[in-house]
Amino acid sequence: QVQLVESGGGLVQPGGSLRLSCAVSGNIFSINTMGWYRQAPGKQRELVASMTSGGSTNYADSVKGRFTISRDNAKKTVYLQMNGLKPEDTAVYYCKLTQPLNNYWGQGTQVTVSS
């Protein structure tokens, strides 16, 4: 059974940094996409960044230049380095694994940016 477990969220001041991690357990396809999404209160869940197993990346315009997604395929782990955090980045951040035939979500980790 595939499971995704996020970690690294927390409370940070504006301008600060956080690094999120998402570890995948279970058998997965070698060709896949791993991504980070976020959902703020009263808003729809939105894509933050994604990365294919081949290394191609995609970022939301709102985080370009501030966030960096990376992955370690051997460890089946994806990371999101978040720098220059803003109050509008406050949300629950979810990890998603997209692969042929099925997708999986993590349980989410709260990121709060506030002074």
Side-chain angles (χ1 to χ4, degrees):
Q1 184 174 355
V2 176
Q3 290 187 324
L4 282 64
V5 178
E6 300 106 332
S7 61
L11 173 64
V12 63
Q13 292 186 340
S17 298
L18 283 175
R19 188 193 195 207
L20 305 182
S21 299
C22 173
V24 182
S25 61
N27 294 322
I28 63 175
F29 288 94
S30 59
I31 298 176
N32 58 64
T33 297
M34 297 192 74
W36 289 96
Y37 291 71
R38 66 187 181 187
Q39 188 166 19
K43 295 188 177 181
Q44 290 188 330
R45 191 172 298 188
E46 63 176 359
L47 172 69
V48 176
S50 65
M51 189 172 191
T52 69
S53 48
S56 297
T57 58
N58 183 36
Y59 292 92
D61 288 343
S62 59
V63 307
K64 285 180 180 177
R66 300 188 297 124
F67 292 8
T68 302
I69 189 170
S70 61
R71 57 188 287 172
D72 185 330
N73 290 332
K75 294 182 178 180
K76 293 190 292 184
T77 300
V78 64
Y79 306 95
L80 185 68
Q81 178 66 44
M82 305 185 294
N83 299 328
L85 282 161
K86 304 176 181 180
E88 52 263 43
D89 294 317
T90 295
V92 178
Y93 284 69
Y94 298 90
C95 177
K96 181 183 180 183
L97 168 66
T98 302
Q99 59 179 19
L101 301 181
N102 45 31
N103 305 319
Y104 298 93
W105 290 90
Q107 81 287 351
T109 185
Q110 177 70 44
V111 172
T112 302
V113 185
S114 175
S115 55

